[in-house]
């Protein structure tokens, strides 16, 4: 495969939604709302979901920002984007989706109030993660917010399907904060999402 995001592209979109539902034991709705709360998304804001998958979080974000706001989702997988577009149309959400790589975002500089990246960075090589963070910062407005969520290091307390969901890629809190701050972003808040091993960093430009 080619370099960058292409290393971690997921092509089985329909099965992915089912796997998430099973792994989350029906808590995926709670997880989405928790992430939107952490990002402090408000009506009227413009939001970008990087690595949006099948679009579920972006569609939920569009409900938060309302008609005055805008939500865009990008993913490197054409299959994911195809499914996201269908889901958005069914929900009449107004969220927009396109195929794009995290390290080369097709948007103008200082374009978004909020950028979301949830359980995506661990799919990328370390050098590409840094490129992706730089791109997220570039498209973020001054004073805007970036929420990074990913699987943290597993401990003896973390068991069950969620703990096993992504054994191939995990990050420590120190790694996540260092990555964000190396991209000239300032950490506002960090901690456990409160679901499985998920951790987060909320940063600003």
């Amino acid at each position: 495969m080619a370099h960058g995001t292409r290393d971690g592209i997921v092509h089985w979109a329909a099965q992915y939604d089912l796997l998430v539902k099973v792994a989350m034991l029906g808590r995926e709705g709670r997880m989405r709302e928790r992430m939107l709360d952490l990002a402090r998304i408000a009506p009227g804001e413009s939001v970008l979901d990087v690595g949006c998958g099948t679009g579920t979080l972006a569609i939920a974000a569009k409900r938060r920002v309302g008609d005055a706001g805008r939500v865009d989702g990008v993913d490197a997988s054409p299959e994911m984007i195809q499914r996201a577009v269908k889901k958005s149309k069914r929900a009449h959400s107004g969220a927009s989706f396109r195929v794009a790589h995290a390290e080369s975002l097709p948007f103008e500089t200082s374009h978004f109030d909020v950028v979301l990246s949830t359980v995506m960075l661990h799919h990328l090589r370390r050098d590409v993660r840094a490129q992706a963070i730089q791109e997220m910062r570039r498209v973020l407005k001054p004073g805007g917010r970036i929420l990074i969520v990913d699987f943290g290091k597993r401990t003896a307390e973390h068991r069950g399907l969620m703990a096993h969901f992504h054994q191939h890629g995990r990050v420590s809190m120190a790694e996540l904060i260092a990555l964000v701050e190396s991209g000239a972003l300032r950490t506002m808040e960090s901690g456990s999402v409160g679901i499985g091993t998920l951790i987060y960093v909320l940063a600003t430009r």
Side-chain angles (χ1 to χ4, degrees), residues 142-162:
R145 307 178 300 285
I146 291 182
L147 177 71
I148 309 292
V149 177
D150 221 313
F151 290 96
K153 300 296 185 180
R154 186 181 173 193
T155 70
E157 297 177 359
H158 297 117
R159 299 178 179 178
L161 285 173
M162 191 62 182

Side-chain angles (χ1 to χ4, degrees), residues 122-179:
H122 73 272
H123 285 290
L124 308 180
R125 295 197 321 261
R126 290 182 181 276
D127 60 326
V128 180
R129 293 176 191 177
Q131 294 173 32
I133 291 293
Q134 289 287 353
E135 272 293 270
M136 292 181 210
R137 181 189 184 279
R138 181 186 66 79
V139 302
L140 189 69
K141 295 177 182 178
R145 307 178 300 285
I146 291 182
L147 177 71
I148 309 292
V149 177
D150 221 313
F151 290 96
K153 300 296 185 180
R154 186 181 173 193
T155 70
E157 297 177 359
H158 297 117
R159 299 178 179 178
L161 285 173
M162 191 62 182
H164 290 280
F165 189 45
H166 269 282
Q167 296 188 66
H168 67 278
R170 295 178 181 277
V171 295
S172 69
M173 181 63 76
E175 289 171 333
L176 208 54
I177 291 175
L179 178 64

